[in-house]
């Protein structure tokens, strides 16, 4: 969501960005509720991580409410206020960080209790990659707009984890319970992801190094 907030505020594909944001609002709320249901099911099975999960869900719910309260009036007006961009990105980052932590706790619980198949583990790691891609994009925007050391560290960490998991999904990783991609179709899809990643990485690295390429998103006249 952070990407579309920035794009709408900077009038880059404003209409499309606003529509995507409206669509995402409902899905994020549903996702948090699904995490709550999952936590309650684990509590019913007396899984020790359940209380930790539900506590995190409460945090995510509060963070989402604060973010939604700030974003909703702008979506209703059809305009993202650029003056509130920093606040919106901060609130979005808080929600995303908590939800990301929740997925990691679920992952650990499922792996620990041996209830995940090889295919299931691949799906979970793929979801992790999807979440990381959002963190990387938001992190790039934050680094490109400022020189905060925390943002730089978070972006660098997310990039490293993304590459590690991408290699695991392609080649397998026994520690993660992953086998190599089993079909040519799946391998082709991961190769396509890898090709896009190789195109993105120089821009991300440039932003981390403080070079001007990191701000291309802000100077480009087109989406």
């Amino acid at each position: 969501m952070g990407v579309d907030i920035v794009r709408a505020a900077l009038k880059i594909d404003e209409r499309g960005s606003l529509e995507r944001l409206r669509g995402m609002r409902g899905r994020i709320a549903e996702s948090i509720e699904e995490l709550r249901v999952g936590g309650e099911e684990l509590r019913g099975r007396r899984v020790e991580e359940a209380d930790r999960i539900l506590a995190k869900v409460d945090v995510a719910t509060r963070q989402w409410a604060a973010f939604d309260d700030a974003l909703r009036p702008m979506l209703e007006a059809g305009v993202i206020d650029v003056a509130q961009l920093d606040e919106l990105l901060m609130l979005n980052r808080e929600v995303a960080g908590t939800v990301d932590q929740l997925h990691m706790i679920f992952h650990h619980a499922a792996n620990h209790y041996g209830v995940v198949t090889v295919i299931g583990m691949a799906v979970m790691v793929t979801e992790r990659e999807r979440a990381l891609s959002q963190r990387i994009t938001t992190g790039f925007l934050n680094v490109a707009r400022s020189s905060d050391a925390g943002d730089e560290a978070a972006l660098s960490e997310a990039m490293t984890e993304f590459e590690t998991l991408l290699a695991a999904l392609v080649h397998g990783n026994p520690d993660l319970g992953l086998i190599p991609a089993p079909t040519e179709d799946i391998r082709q899809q991961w190769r396509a992801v890898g090709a896009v990643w190789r195109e993105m990485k120089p821009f991300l690295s440039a932003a981390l190094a403080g070079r001007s390429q990191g701000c291309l998103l802000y100077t480009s006249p087109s989406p």
Side-chain angles (χ1 to χ4, degrees), residues 107-120:
H107 180 99
H108 176 267
N111 191 38
H112 178 73
Y113 288 93
V115 297
V116 181
T117 65
V118 170
I119 293 175

Side-chain angles (χ1 to χ4, degrees), residues 24-197:
M24 281 295 295
R25 282 183 63 220
R27 291 196 291 276
I28 294 295
E30 290 173 1
S31 175
I32 292 174
E33 183 56 29
E34 287 170 359
L35 290 169
R36 183 184 301 280
V37 171
E40 289 172 350
E41 289 181 358
L42 291 177
R43 175 181 278 172
R45 299 177 191 173
R46 298 185 178 181
V47 173
E48 63 184 42
E49 285 91 345
D51 288 341
R52 183 182 173 202
I53 287 170
L54 290 171
K56 282 284 185 185
V57 170
D58 287 340
V59 173
T61 300
R62 291 193 297 270
Q63 290 173 334
W64 170 253
F67 174 59
D68 196 45
D69 284 346
L71 181 63
R72 186 177 60 252
M74 299 184 206
L75 292 179
E76 291 172 351
V79 177
I80 299 295
D81 185 354
V82 70
Q84 292 182 263
L85 197 53
D86 286 337
E87 178 189 6
L88 287 172
L89 289 177
M90 178 196 70
L91 293 170
N92 177 67
R93 185 165 63 246
E94 288 177 350
V95 176
T98 301
V99 171
D100 191 42
Q101 291 170 22
L102 275 164
H103 281 293
M104 291 298 292
I105 298 170
F106 268 110
H107 180 99
H108 176 267
N111 191 38
H112 178 73
Y113 288 93
V115 297
V116 181
T117 65
V118 170
I119 293 175
M121 189 61 71
V123 171
M124 291 174 67
V125 174
T126 300
E127 276 295 297
R128 175 70 178 160
E129 284 284 75
R130 183 195 61 77
L132 281 168
S133 71
Q134 295 297 315
R135 279 179 52 192
I136 287 168
T137 306
T138 301
F140 168 78
L141 294 170
N142 292 331
V143 170
R145 297 176 68 247
S146 69
S147 57
D148 185 272
D151 289 333
E152 293 174 1
L155 175 56
S156 179
E157 179 182 338
M159 288 171 62
T160 299
E161 186 176 358
F162 185 92
E163 285 194 312
T164 298
L165 295 182
L166 180 58
L169 287 163
V170 176
H171 304 294
N173 184 316
D175 292 337
L176 294 175
L178 294 173
I179 62 172
T183 69
E184 180 57 27
D185 181 58
I186 293 174
R187 288 192 289 272
Q188 285 182 353
Q189 292 185 53
W190 284 123
R191 282 197 289 268
V193 172
V196 174
W197 173 249

Side-chain angles (χ1 to χ4, degrees), residues 181-217:
T183 69
E184 180 57 27
D185 181 58
I186 293 174
R187 288 192 289 272
Q188 285 182 353
Q189 292 185 53
W190 284 123
R191 282 197 289 268
V193 172
V196 174
W197 173 249
R198 287 191 294 276
E199 290 182 14
M200 289 177 58
K201 193 173 178 182
F203 294 100
L204 299 170
S205 299
L208 286 173
R211 298 197 295 273
S212 61
Q213 294 99 310
C215 297
L216 283 178
L217 177 62

